[in-house]
């Protein structure tokens, strides 16, 4: 399922809202959120619980991040390609568990830096799910994008976790807008 997200007080014309991805199992979600600095878990609370919020790839062990990707069902990725992807990422946040120094939550966004952004790779290590780390990362990433003036924010998600994004203000198929994905599958010749 394709999810598309727009966080905006005014939507762009329908001709400008087509989203695409190479992952046909994604979904399209939209959200309308005010800019706010109120987070469900403060930075201080995260620290008191043994977590550090990080905003760069400095000290991010890509093999450990890859382990989190695999643990949530993503395919194992080439670490060199992960590095290139992260170097071309506009905004990223990850949460480090201080006892191990390993990433336990991660999200990133790419875009044009002005109008549009797409959120990718939102993951929380299964051992740390259910304690608010995914919400903490998403709230901060969306806030960062809104502070940059970016109001058209899309995300791609597996259908089974759509319920996680709805309380954050995301909705599927706003105003009947549907996302599309490019597929290399060829039609069978008859």
């Amino acid at each position: 399922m394709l999810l598309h997200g727009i966080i905006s007080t005014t939507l762009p014309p329908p001709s400008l809202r087509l989203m695409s991805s190479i992952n046909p199992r994604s979904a399209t979600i939209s959200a309308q959120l005010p800019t706010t600095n109120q987070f469900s878990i403060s930075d201080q609370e995260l620290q008191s619980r043994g977590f550090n919020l990080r905003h760069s790839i400095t000290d991010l062990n890509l093999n450990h991040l890859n382990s989190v990707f695999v643990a949530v069902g993503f395919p194992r990725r080439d670490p060199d390609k992960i590095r290139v992807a992260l170097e071309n990422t506009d905004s990223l946040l990850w949460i480090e568990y201080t006892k191990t120094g390993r990433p336990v939550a991660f999200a990133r966004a790419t875009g044009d830096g002005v109008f549009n952004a797409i959120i990718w790779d939102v993951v929380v290590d299964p051992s740390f799910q259910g304690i608010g780390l995914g919400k903490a990362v998403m709230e901060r990433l969306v806030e960062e994008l809104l502070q940059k003036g970016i109001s058209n924010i899309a995300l791609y998600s597996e259908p089974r976790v759509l319920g996680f994004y709805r309380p954050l203000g995301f909705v599927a198929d706003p105003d009947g807008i549907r996302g599309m994905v490019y597929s290399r599958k060829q039609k069978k010749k008859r």
Side-chain angles (χ1 to χ4, degrees):
M1 173 193 275
L2 176 68
L3 296 178
H4 174 82
I6 299 173
I7 297 181
S8 177
T9 53
T10 58
L11 294 175
S15 63
L16 298 178
R17 288 186 268 171
L18 177 64
M19 303 302 300
S20 65
S21 170
I22 59 172
N23 182 355
R25 292 178 14 162
S26 298
T28 304
I29 302 181
S30 174
Q32 300 218 349
L33 295 175
T35 300
T36 177
N37 287 324
Q38 302 300 319
F39 301 123
S40 58
I41 302 173
S42 70
D43 292 0
Q44 294 78 17
E45 175 68 15
L46 284 169
Q47 287 181 333
S48 73
R49 292 166 61 186
F51 300 104
N52 288 324
L53 189 63
R54 309 294 290 267
H55 296 267
S56 74
I57 62 172
T58 304
D59 299 325
L60 176 58
N61 182 306
L62 300 183
N63 289 319
H64 293 162
L65 178 61
N66 215 358
S67 294
V68 178
F69 287 158
V70 170
V72 300
F74 288 14
R76 183 164 300 282
R77 299 172 175 176
D78 179 332
D80 291 331
K81 289 183 178 183
I82 294 173
R83 178 167 307 286
V84 171
L86 297 183
E87 288 170 351
N88 288 289
T89 292
D90 300 313
S91 299
L92 71 83
L93 293 168
W94 60 284
I95 295 177
E96 171 188 50
Y97 186 46
T98 55
K99 287 184 181 178
T100 63
R102 290 179 173 240
V104 295
F106 177 88
R108 68 187 184 99
T110 60
D112 59 23
V114 180
F115 302 112
N116 306 292
I118 300 174
I119 296 174
W120 303 97
D121 300 329
V122 180
V123 294
V124 177
D125 184 306
S127 301
F128 293 88
Q129 291 178 0
I131 60 173
L133 300 181
K135 186 174 184 179
V137 168
M138 281 297 297
E139 288 172 339
R140 286 161 176 82
L141 186 59
V142 167
E143 176 69 17
E144 182 178 321
L145 295 169
L146 292 173
Q147 289 294 324
K148 291 178 178 181
I150 299 169
S151 60
N152 186 23
I153 301 172
L155 68 86
Y156 294 84
S157 171
E158 294 290 330
R160 63 185 166 78
V161 294
L162 291 178
F164 167 74
Y165 296 105
R166 287 189 180 105
L168 295 170
F170 287 87
V171 297
D173 302 324
D175 300 325
I177 297 168
R178 296 286 179 143
M180 297 181 71
V181 297
Y182 174 78
S183 176
R184 292 185 181 174
K185 293 180 182 177
Q186 299 291 323
K187 289 185 178 182
K188 293 181 180 180
K189 294 183 180 181
R190 295 180 187 201

